[in-house]
Amino acid sequence: MMDTNEIESYIKAGEIAKEVKKLVKAMVEPGTKLIDIAEAVDAMIEKLGGEPAFPVNLSLNEIAAHYTPTKNDETVAEGILKIDIGVAVDGFIADTAFSVDLTSDGEHKDMIELNEKILENITEIINPGMEVREIGDVAQDTLEKWDKENGTRFAIIKSLSGHALAQNMIHAGLTISNYRNENHKKLNDMAFAIEPFVTTGVGDIYEGNPGGIYVLQSDGAVRDRDAREVLKFIKEKYKTRPFCLRWLEKENFGKLKFVLGMLVRQGIIHEYPLLIEKSKAPVSQAENTFLSYDGKIINTTKE
Ligand code: MN
Ligand code: MN
């Protein structure tokens, strides 16, 4: 059973995430700097009384996830941009994403529409007591029907899934696949994210270079004085939530890049690799967070 604080925090995190989505939708245009979007997202979350649950993912084109800009990043919005926002209130998380087509000829419009349709159709069948596998059925049925009717060949990225959420935990054990599967687990008394990814490519991903997002991984000790300070800050401020360089750069730490490199090499922090579509084809993402409690399920992040 969830207590009142937990339920209220999940709901408040969702309310903040909705406001952040509105802000981003109003500001993203072809040529908008990703760093400007990221700074606006961070500021809005703070203003509304939340914390980022993870650095906003601003992943372009064939990059499915895990890119966040650094301070002097010149990367701009173009092609298709996935905006994946995480808000935490008392550690309880809202995780939501959408995709924007920034091409002049609407190249990715259909893919985004299909992706949203998959999420919408899943949302319609969500009910207490349902099994995880029902979500995969709906996702795959929706895609197959779309392809048949439109003569297209889209693919769901099978290695990217929805997931259970918990306090300060983005991935809390349960995986929610977006294709037919045999997971009979019920979605009772938990928060979870549903996030189908669609592509025109083969529908698989590989791990690329690091994308600027880190997370505390193990409890090892460090001798270096600067490293100890950085590690103490990370443990207190982000706990087990992912973080990024641009946040740490605001804190005036000594030799920060060196220290982060050292902590990564020692396995104390993990640096997430970019997730890139295997055939380098464009990828779309749509995601909402759901809260299952008291025999009902609500969508916390849908506008
Ligand atoms: Mn997400
Ligand atoms: Mn997610």
Side-chain angles (χ1 to χ4, degrees), residues 221-291:
V222 276
R223 292 178 61 161
D224 181 89
R225 193 194 154 94
D226 291 303
R228 274 211 308 270
E229 265 181 40
V230 172
L231 197 54
K232 183 168 176 273
F233 182 84
I234 290 167
K235 283 180 180 170
E236 284 172 10
K237 177 107 175 171
Y238 311 122
K239 303 181 175 71
T240 45
R241 300 194 306 264
F243 58 91
C244 58
L245 188 60
R246 76 169 180 276
W247 295 347
L248 293 172
E249 277 172 337
K250 298 189 166 137
E251 305 296 327
N252 297 315
F253 288 116
K255 51 187 189 358
L256 184 59
K257 280 185 184 164
F258 169 81
V259 160
L260 275 182
M262 186 170 72
L263 292 171
V264 168
R265 278 193 306 278
Q266 292 189 13
I268 294 170
I269 64 175
H270 170 69
E271 190 170 20
Y272 290 95
L274 292 176
L275 302 179
I276 305 168
E277 208 282 328
K278 222 165 211 168
S279 49
K280 298 264 177 105
V283 175
S284 162
Q285 177 195 17
E287 177 177 29
N288 275 317
T289 291
F290 296 81
L291 181 62

Side-chain angles (χ1 to χ4, degrees), residues 20-280:
V20 175
K21 278 199 280 192
K22 264 190 235 164
L23 169 85
V24 174
K25 281 176 182 169
M27 82 178 283
V28 178
E29 284 174 20
T32 309
K33 277 190 185 176
L34 299 190
I35 185 64
D36 292 342
I37 302 170
E39 298 282 7
V41 167
D42 290 349
M44 180 61 109
I45 292 172
E46 194 186 335
K47 186 183 152 199
L48 297 176
E51 292 173 291
F54 50 81
V56 60
N57 284 216
L58 297 168
S59 308
L60 287 169
N61 302 317
E62 73 272 19
I63 302 171
H66 295 171
Y67 186 80
T68 205
T70 50
K71 199 168 58 179
N72 300 311
D73 204 316
E74 295 291 327
T75 314
V76 297
E78 52 95 15
I80 180 170
L81 174 65
K82 277 78 60 190
I83 298 117
D84 193 337
I85 296 157
V87 177
V89 170
D90 193 21
F92 298 106
I93 296 165
D95 183 5
T96 184
F98 62 98
S99 304
V100 183
D101 179 10
L102 298 152
T103 63
S104 53
D105 58 354
E107 195 188 327
H108 309 295
K109 238 180 102 225
D110 286 1
M111 181 166 64
I112 294 171
E113 199 182 317
L114 165 60
N115 197 168
E116 281 169 2
K117 179 109 190 123
I118 293 170
L119 182 58
E120 205 179 287
N121 286 355
I122 294 170
T123 303
E124 272 175 25
I125 60 117
I126 292 267
N127 71 87
M130 73 182 295
E131 295 177 355
V132 169
R133 57 166 193 86
E134 295 176 58
I135 291 164
D137 286 349
V138 171
Q140 201 166 337
D141 286 349
T142 305
L143 181 120
E144 285 169 3
K145 182 163 177 273
W146 177 288
D147 272 352
K148 208 172 159 194
E149 284 174 5
N150 297 285
T152 48
R153 284 189 67 177
F154 287 107
I156 285 171
I157 301 185
K158 289 191 173 181
S159 43
L160 299 176
S161 315
H163 48 93
L165 294 155
Q167 194 172 28
N168 294 311
M169 299 270 290
I170 307 291
H171 290 271
L174 180 68
T175 292
I176 304 170
S177 298
N178 296 304
Y179 56 92
R180 274 189 263 286
N181 65 83
E182 284 302 320
N183 189 342
H184 291 273
K185 184 144 183 17
K186 287 187 163 60
L187 293 162
N188 281 334
D189 279 307
M190 66 168 97
F192 59 93
I194 302 287
E195 53 178 317
F197 288 76
V198 175
T199 179
T200 53
V202 294
D204 204 353
I205 45 141
Y206 69 92
E207 296 189 343
N209 290 328
I213 302 176
Y214 303 84
V215 72
L216 188 64
Q217 179 168 258
S218 79
D219 213 14
V222 276
R223 292 178 61 161
D224 181 89
R225 193 194 154 94
D226 291 303
R228 274 211 308 270
E229 265 181 40
V230 172
L231 197 54
K232 183 168 176 273
F233 182 84
I234 290 167
K235 283 180 180 170
E236 284 172 10
K237 177 107 175 171
Y238 311 122
K239 303 181 175 71
T240 45
R241 300 194 306 264
F243 58 91
C244 58
L245 188 60
R246 76 169 180 276
W247 295 347
L248 293 172
E249 277 172 337
K250 298 189 166 137
E251 305 296 327
N252 297 315
F253 288 116
K255 51 187 189 358
L256 184 59
K257 280 185 184 164
F258 169 81
V259 160
L260 275 182
M262 186 170 72
L263 292 171
V264 168
R265 278 193 306 278
Q266 292 189 13
I268 294 170
I269 64 175
H270 170 69
E271 190 170 20
Y272 290 95
L274 292 176
L275 302 179
I276 305 168
E277 208 282 328
K278 222 165 211 168
S279 49
K280 298 264 177 105

